[in-house]
Amino acid sequence: AYKRFSELLPKEERENACSVRLPKSQILTLPELRANPFRHRICQVFSTSEYGDDSMSFEDFLDMLSVFSDSATSDVKSHYAFRIFDFDDDGTLSRKDLEKLVNCLTGQGEESQLSNAEMEQLIQNILEESDIDKDGTINLSEFQHIVSRSPDFARCGGLQR
């Protein structure tokens, strides 16, 4: 992990890799993130930068790699998947979060974008299946309940496309 992190840094900064922040532009060059539709959100969730630039310290980078590793538990993966899908960081997956999630998965091009009616029907179906307390949002425990019933989530890591 240290080697991968330091290789993404400019040569003159590699000796101080533990005290340097890796710019988001470099993080996005990782093969694991390059094609991930949530790559920008992943950087936001794992970055502890106080400047809002989504740069990562070595510790941030380690946290990200550990969540994506095969040895991470389903609970850890689902917790971070929930945070990644919670675009407005309010602790619930609202209709707006679900719409952004669907758009990330389907792409936002003309040919792949859902119509308003299709989007509404899909979100309604998701909420009917997942919103146990019927409050119009999905909280972490509801999300983890759905994930626990999905063997594909645990098998493919939940965060990989």
Side-chain angles (χ1 to χ4, degrees), residues 12-45:
E12 63 276 4
E13 293 182 4
R14 289 183 184 167
E15 281 184 30
N16 302 324
C18 281
S19 60
V20 174
R21 297 194 68 83
L22 186 61
K24 179 181 177 180
S25 59
Q26 285 301 107
I27 299 162
L28 294 175
T29 66
L30 290 167
E32 297 89 340
L33 291 181
R34 211 175 293 141
N36 190 308
F38 301 101
R39 62 190 169 275
H40 296 286
R41 185 69 187 137
I42 289 167
C43 289
Q44 271 185 323
V45 166

Short mmCIF file of all heavy atoms in Angstrom, two decimals, residues 12-45:
data_model
loop_
_atom_site.label_atom_id
_atom_site.label_comp_id
_atom_site.label_asym_id
_atom_site.label_seq_id
_atom_site.Cartn_x
_atom_site.Cartn_y
_atom_site.Cartn_z
N GLU A 12 10.08 14.00 -6.10
CA GLU A 12 10.68 14.79 -5.01
C GLU A 12 9.90 14.69 -3.70
O GLU A 12 10.40 15.06 -2.65
CB GLU A 12 10.87 16.26 -5.43
CG GLU A 12 9.59 17.02 -5.73
CD GLU A 12 9.07 16.84 -7.17
OE1 GLU A 12 9.66 16.04 -7.93
OE2 GLU A 12 8.08 17.50 -7.50
N GLU A 13 8.68 14.18 -3.73
CA GLU A 13 7.88 14.08 -2.50
C GLU A 13 7.83 12.66 -1.94
O GLU A 13 7.29 12.44 -0.87
CB GLU A 13 6.45 14.58 -2.76
CG GLU A 13 6.38 16.06 -3.05
CD GLU A 13 4.96 16.55 -3.25
OE1 GLU A 13 4.01 15.77 -3.08
OE2 GLU A 13 4.80 17.74 -3.56
N ARG A 14 8.39 11.69 -2.65
CA ARG A 14 8.26 10.28 -2.26
C ARG A 14 8.92 9.96 -0.93
O ARG A 14 8.45 9.10 -0.20
CB ARG A 14 8.81 9.37 -3.36
CG ARG A 14 7.89 9.36 -4.56
CD ARG A 14 8.34 8.43 -5.65
NE ARG A 14 7.42 8.58 -6.78
CZ ARG A 14 7.64 8.13 -7.98
NH1 ARG A 14 8.77 7.48 -8.23
NH2 ARG A 14 6.77 8.30 -8.94
N GLU A 15 10.00 10.63 -0.61
CA GLU A 15 10.69 10.35 0.66
C GLU A 15 9.83 10.74 1.86
O GLU A 15 9.97 10.17 2.94
CB GLU A 15 12.02 11.11 0.73
CG GLU A 15 13.11 10.44 -0.06
CD GLU A 15 14.44 11.16 0.10
OE1 GLU A 15 14.66 11.75 1.17
OE2 GLU A 15 15.24 11.13 -0.84
N ASN A 16 8.95 11.70 1.68
CA ASN A 16 8.09 12.18 2.77
C ASN A 16 6.65 11.71 2.60
O ASN A 16 5.72 12.40 3.02
CB ASN A 16 8.11 13.71 2.83
CG ASN A 16 9.49 14.25 3.01
OD1 ASN A 16 10.30 13.65 3.73
ND2 ASN A 16 9.79 15.37 2.38
N ALA A 17 6.44 10.55 2.00
CA ALA A 17 5.10 10.09 1.65
C ALA A 17 4.13 10.07 2.85
O ALA A 17 2.95 10.30 2.69
CB ALA A 17 5.16 8.71 1.00
N CYS A 18 4.66 9.82 4.04
CA CYS A 18 3.77 9.75 5.21
C CYS A 18 3.24 11.11 5.62
O CYS A 18 2.24 11.20 6.34
CB CYS A 18 4.48 9.08 6.38
SG CYS A 18 4.50 7.30 6.22
N SER A 19 3.88 12.19 5.17
CA SER A 19 3.43 13.52 5.59
C SER A 19 2.89 14.35 4.42
O SER A 19 2.61 15.53 4.59
CB SER A 19 4.58 14.27 6.27
OG SER A 19 5.65 14.40 5.37
N VAL A 20 2.70 13.72 3.27
CA VAL A 20 2.25 14.43 2.08
C VAL A 20 0.83 13.97 1.74
O VAL A 20 0.45 12.83 2.02
CB VAL A 20 3.20 14.12 0.89
CG1 VAL A 20 2.70 14.71 -0.40
CG2 VAL A 20 4.60 14.60 1.19
N ARG A 21 0.05 14.86 1.15
CA ARG A 21 -1.30 14.50 0.70
C ARG A 21 -1.27 14.25 -0.80
O ARG A 21 -0.66 15.00 -1.56
CB ARG A 21 -2.29 15.60 1.05
CG ARG A 21 -2.42 15.81 2.56
CD ARG A 21 -3.61 16.64 2.93
NE ARG A 21 -4.87 15.97 2.68
CZ ARG A 21 -5.44 15.10 3.52
NH1 ARG A 21 -4.85 14.79 4.65
NH2 ARG A 21 -6.58 14.54 3.23
N LEU A 22 -1.93 13.20 -1.19
CA LEU A 22 -2.02 12.82 -2.59
C LEU A 22 -3.19 13.55 -3.24
O LEU A 22 -4.32 13.44 -2.74
CB LEU A 22 -2.21 11.30 -2.68
CG LEU A 22 -2.19 10.63 -4.04
CD1 LEU A 22 -0.84 10.84 -4.72
CD2 LEU A 22 -2.46 9.14 -3.89
N PRO A 23 -2.96 14.31 -4.31
CA PRO A 23 -4.06 15.04 -4.95
C PRO A 23 -5.11 14.09 -5.53
O PRO A 23 -4.77 12.98 -5.98
CB PRO A 23 -3.38 15.83 -6.07
CG PRO A 23 -1.92 15.71 -5.85
CD PRO A 23 -1.68 14.53 -4.98
N LYS A 24 -6.35 14.54 -5.55
CA LYS A 24 -7.44 13.74 -6.09
C LYS A 24 -7.15 13.31 -7.53
O LYS A 24 -7.45 12.18 -7.91
CB LYS A 24 -8.74 14.56 -6.03
CG LYS A 24 -9.94 13.84 -6.60
CD LYS A 24 -11.18 14.73 -6.52
CE LYS A 24 -12.39 14.07 -7.15
NZ LYS A 24 -13.57 14.95 -7.05
N SER A 25 -6.55 14.19 -8.31
CA SER A 25 -6.26 13.86 -9.71
C SER A 25 -5.38 12.61 -9.82
O SER A 25 -5.54 11.81 -10.74
CB SER A 25 -5.60 15.03 -10.42
OG SER A 25 -4.39 15.39 -9.77
N GLN A 26 -4.47 12.43 -8.88
CA GLN A 26 -3.61 11.25 -8.88
C GLN A 26 -4.36 10.01 -8.38
O GLN A 26 -4.16 8.92 -8.89
CB GLN A 26 -2.37 11.49 -8.01
CG GLN A 26 -1.35 12.39 -8.66
CD GLN A 26 -0.88 11.81 -9.99
OE1 GLN A 26 -1.25 12.32 -11.04
NE2 GLN A 26 -0.10 10.76 -9.94
N ILE A 27 -5.20 10.19 -7.38
CA ILE A 27 -5.99 9.07 -6.85
C ILE A 27 -6.86 8.49 -7.97
O ILE A 27 -7.00 7.28 -8.10
CB ILE A 27 -6.87 9.52 -5.66
CG1 ILE A 27 -5.99 10.04 -4.52
CG2 ILE A 27 -7.76 8.39 -5.18
CD1 ILE A 27 -6.72 10.89 -3.51
N LEU A 28 -7.43 9.37 -8.77
CA LEU A 28 -8.32 8.93 -9.85
C LEU A 28 -7.61 8.18 -10.96
O LEU A 28 -8.26 7.58 -11.81
CB LEU A 28 -9.08 10.13 -10.43
CG LEU A 28 -10.06 10.80 -9.47
CD1 LEU A 28 -10.67 12.05 -10.11
CD2 LEU A 28 -11.14 9.84 -9.01
N THR A 29 -6.28 8.15 -10.94
CA THR A 29 -5.55 7.37 -11.95
C THR A 29 -5.45 5.89 -11.57
O THR A 29 -5.03 5.08 -12.39
CB THR A 29 -4.11 7.92 -12.18
OG1 THR A 29 -3.34 7.74 -10.98
CG2 THR A 29 -4.14 9.39 -12.58
N LEU A 30 -5.81 5.55 -10.34
CA LEU A 30 -5.76 4.15 -9.92
C LEU A 30 -6.70 3.32 -10.80
O LEU A 30 -7.86 3.71 -11.01
CB LEU A 30 -6.19 4.00 -8.46
CG LEU A 30 -5.24 4.55 -7.41
CD1 LEU A 30 -5.93 4.62 -6.05
CD2 LEU A 30 -3.99 3.68 -7.33
N PRO A 31 -6.24 2.17 -11.28
CA PRO A 31 -7.10 1.33 -12.14
C PRO A 31 -8.43 0.96 -11.47
O PRO A 31 -9.45 0.87 -12.14
CB PRO A 31 -6.25 0.08 -12.38
CG PRO A 31 -4.86 0.45 -12.02
CD PRO A 31 -4.92 1.60 -11.08
N GLU A 32 -8.41 0.79 -10.15
CA GLU A 32 -9.62 0.40 -9.42
C GLU A 32 -10.68 1.50 -9.44
O GLU A 32 -11.87 1.24 -9.28
CB GLU A 32 -9.31 0.07 -7.95
CG GLU A 32 -8.40 -1.11 -7.76
CD GLU A 32 -6.91 -0.75 -7.74
OE1 GLU A 32 -6.52 0.33 -8.23
OE2 GLU A 32 -6.13 -1.57 -7.23
N LEU A 33 -10.24 2.74 -9.60
CA LEU A 33 -11.18 3.86 -9.59
C LEU A 33 -11.49 4.42 -10.97
O LEU A 33 -12.54 5.02 -11.17
CB LEU A 33 -10.64 5.00 -8.71
CG LEU A 33 -10.58 4.73 -7.22
CD1 LEU A 33 -10.05 5.96 -6.49
CD2 LEU A 33 -11.93 4.34 -6.67
N ARG A 34 -10.59 4.22 -11.89
CA ARG A 34 -10.69 4.86 -13.20
C ARG A 34 -12.07 4.68 -13.85
O ARG A 34 -12.63 5.62 -14.39
CB ARG A 34 -9.60 4.32 -14.12
CG ARG A 34 -9.14 5.34 -15.13
CD ARG A 34 -7.97 4.87 -15.96
NE ARG A 34 -6.77 4.73 -15.14
CZ ARG A 34 -5.89 3.76 -15.27
NH1 ARG A 34 -6.05 2.83 -16.18
NH2 ARG A 34 -4.83 3.71 -14.50
N ALA A 35 -12.62 3.46 -13.78
CA ALA A 35 -13.91 3.20 -14.42
C ALA A 35 -15.07 3.16 -13.43
O ALA A 35 -16.20 2.87 -13.81
CB ALA A 35 -13.83 1.87 -15.18
N ASN A 36 -14.80 3.45 -12.17
CA ASN A 36 -15.86 3.38 -11.16
C ASN A 36 -16.75 4.62 -11.26
O ASN A 36 -16.25 5.75 -11.18
CB ASN A 36 -15.23 3.28 -9.76
CG ASN A 36 -16.25 2.97 -8.69
OD1 ASN A 36 -17.27 3.63 -8.58
ND2 ASN A 36 -15.95 1.95 -7.91
N PRO A 37 -18.06 4.43 -11.43
CA PRO A 37 -18.94 5.59 -11.58
C PRO A 37 -19.03 6.46 -10.31
O PRO A 37 -19.50 7.59 -10.37
CB PRO A 37 -20.31 4.97 -11.90
CG PRO A 37 -20.24 3.58 -11.38
CD PRO A 37 -18.80 3.17 -11.48
N PHE A 38 -18.55 5.94 -9.18
CA PHE A 38 -18.60 6.68 -7.92
C PHE A 38 -17.23 7.21 -7.51
O PHE A 38 -17.02 7.60 -6.37
CB PHE A 38 -19.15 5.78 -6.81
CG PHE A 38 -20.53 5.27 -7.12
CD1 PHE A 38 -20.71 3.98 -7.58
CD2 PHE A 38 -21.63 6.09 -6.97
CE1 PHE A 38 -21.98 3.52 -7.89
CE2 PHE A 38 -22.90 5.64 -7.27
CZ PHE A 38 -23.08 4.35 -7.74
N ARG A 39 -16.26 7.25 -8.44
CA ARG A 39 -14.88 7.59 -8.12
C ARG A 39 -14.74 8.94 -7.40
O ARG A 39 -13.98 9.05 -6.45
CB ARG A 39 -13.99 7.52 -9.35
CG ARG A 39 -14.35 8.47 -10.46
CD ARG A 39 -13.58 8.17 -11.76
NE ARG A 39 -14.12 8.92 -12.87
CZ ARG A 39 -15.14 8.54 -13.61
NH1 ARG A 39 -15.77 7.40 -13.35
NH2 ARG A 39 -15.57 9.27 -14.62
N HIS A 40 -15.49 9.94 -7.84
CA HIS A 40 -15.38 11.26 -7.20
C HIS A 40 -15.96 11.22 -5.79
O HIS A 40 -15.39 11.79 -4.85
CB HIS A 40 -16.07 12.34 -8.04
CG HIS A 40 -15.43 12.54 -9.37
ND1 HIS A 40 -14.22 13.19 -9.52
CD2 HIS A 40 -15.80 12.14 -10.62
CE1 HIS A 40 -13.88 13.20 -10.80
NE2 HIS A 40 -14.82 12.57 -11.48
N ARG A 41 -17.05 10.51 -5.63
CA ARG A 41 -17.68 10.41 -4.32
C ARG A 41 -16.80 9.58 -3.38
O ARG A 41 -16.70 9.89 -2.18
CB ARG A 41 -19.07 9.78 -4.49
CG ARG A 41 -19.87 9.73 -3.25
CD ARG A 41 -20.32 11.09 -2.76
NE ARG A 41 -20.95 10.89 -1.47
CZ ARG A 41 -20.78 11.64 -0.42
NH1 ARG A 41 -20.05 12.72 -0.49
NH2 ARG A 41 -21.36 11.36 0.71
N ILE A 42 -16.16 8.55 -3.89
CA ILE A 42 -15.25 7.73 -3.08
C ILE A 42 -14.13 8.62 -2.51
O ILE A 42 -13.82 8.55 -1.32
CB ILE A 42 -14.68 6.55 -3.90
CG1 ILE A 42 -15.79 5.53 -4.16
CG2 ILE A 42 -13.49 5.90 -3.19
CD1 ILE A 42 -15.44 4.48 -5.21
N CYS A 43 -13.57 9.46 -3.35
CA CYS A 43 -12.51 10.38 -2.89
C CYS A 43 -13.05 11.29 -1.79
O CYS A 43 -12.37 11.52 -0.78
CB CYS A 43 -11.96 11.20 -4.05
SG CYS A 43 -10.97 10.24 -5.21
N GLN A 44 -14.26 11.80 -1.97
CA GLN A 44 -14.86 12.68 -0.95
C GLN A 44 -15.01 11.96 0.38
O GLN A 44 -14.68 12.51 1.43
CB GLN A 44 -16.26 13.12 -1.38
CG GLN A 44 -16.31 14.37 -2.18
CD GLN A 44 -17.76 14.75 -2.45
OE1 GLN A 44 -18.62 13.92 -2.67
NE2 GLN A 44 -18.00 16.04 -2.45
N VAL A 45 -15.52 10.74 0.34
CA VAL A 45 -15.82 9.99 1.57
C VAL A 45 -14.55 9.63 2.33
O VAL A 45 -14.51 9.72 3.56
CB VAL A 45 -16.67 8.74 1.26
CG1 VAL A 45 -16.71 7.78 2.43
CG2 VAL A 45 -18.08 9.17 0.85
#
